[in-house]
Amino acid sequence: MLPKLTKLVVVLLILQVLLPAQIVLADTGPKPTMDFAFDQTLVESDLQVISGILYECDQPDCSDATPLQEAGPQRFTCDTTSCHATAYGFAPYHKIEIEFSDEQTRQSNVFQTAGFASSYTVTVRPDDLLVKAQFSLGFLSPIFIIIIACICALVGIGLVAGLIVFLIRRSKKT
């Protein structure tokens, strides 16, 4: 019995020495995002996005604008038809500056963060950009939302009916 216990203690001590004593932490949680879709109905030619900059601002007029810094997953990227931003946290106000294939750089109006996973429509105009937030519940489809609302309504009706039955039975006992 003693040799087995000694072996067990030795193995546990070796494991404690070999395994790290501290837990390794990583930032794996969800990050706020912004998606920008471009509407080009007001310009004559079909333009492609060349590059872009997302400016972060604390002031409503964006007088303190600074570009979103690239750090880890935090960045602002564009492909030819859309742009996407991921950050550890966004400032309350923003504006974007996009260079298009017509070699013109356009700036947007100042806009606010619309939510954790924000979607925006960017209307490309001849001299500037107009950014408008799109209402979105993200990953929830409209049918799923309707089903959840119906289930909540049924549960609510059931609770009210149960309360009525409970009160009627209680009043009959007294």
Side-chain angles (χ1 to χ4, degrees):
M1 179 78 173
L2 190 57
K4 286 184 181 180
L5 185 59
T6 307
K7 286 181 183 178
L8 180 63
V9 169
V10 169
V11 168
L12 288 175
L13 286 174
I14 291 173
L15 283 175
Q16 187 173 5
V17 169
L18 293 177
L19 295 177
Q22 295 181 349
I23 298 172
V24 177
L25 300 175
D27 184 13
T28 59
K31 313 278 182 295
T33 60
M34 292 182 177
D35 289 310
F36 298 89
F38 291 89
D39 176 18
Q40 299 188 31
T41 56
L42 299 179
V43 290
E44 295 174 9
S45 61
D46 193 26
L47 301 174
Q48 292 185 341
V49 176
I50 302 299
S51 66
I53 301 170
L54 172 67
Y55 291 100
E56 299 271 273
C57 316
D58 289 321
Q59 302 295 321
D61 64 352
C62 242
S63 58
D64 61 338
T66 57
L68 179 68
Q69 294 181 352
E70 190 170 315
Q74 178 171 297
R75 65 191 69 230
F76 182 71
T77 57
C78 296
D79 58 28
T80 58
T81 59
S82 65
C83 292
H84 178 79
T86 302
Y88 290 110
F90 288 114
Y93 301 98
H94 316 276
K95 67 180 180 179
I96 58 173
E97 183 178 279
I98 305 294
E99 181 186 353
F100 290 94
S101 56
D102 65 352
E103 297 180 359
Q104 186 175 355
T105 300
R106 295 171 176 87
Q107 279 197 356
S108 75
N109 58 310
V110 177
F111 59 95
Q112 289 184 305
T113 305
F116 189 79
S118 307
S119 293
Y120 300 92
T121 299
V122 182
T123 303
V124 180
R125 301 191 292 198
D127 297 319
D128 64 355
L129 304 170
L130 177 64
V131 178
K132 290 185 180 178
Q134 297 175 348
F135 178 71
S136 170
L137 292 175
F139 62 90
L140 298 177
S141 69
I143 293 173
F144 187 66
I145 293 170
I146 292 170
I147 291 171
I148 290 174
C150 290
I151 290 171
C152 290
L154 288 173
V155 168
I157 291 169
L159 287 172
V160 170
L163 181 63
I164 292 171
V165 169
F166 173 75
L167 292 175
I168 291 173
R169 286 187 178 178
R170 185 173 179 199
S171 67
K172 286 183 180 180
K173 288 183 180 179
T174 56

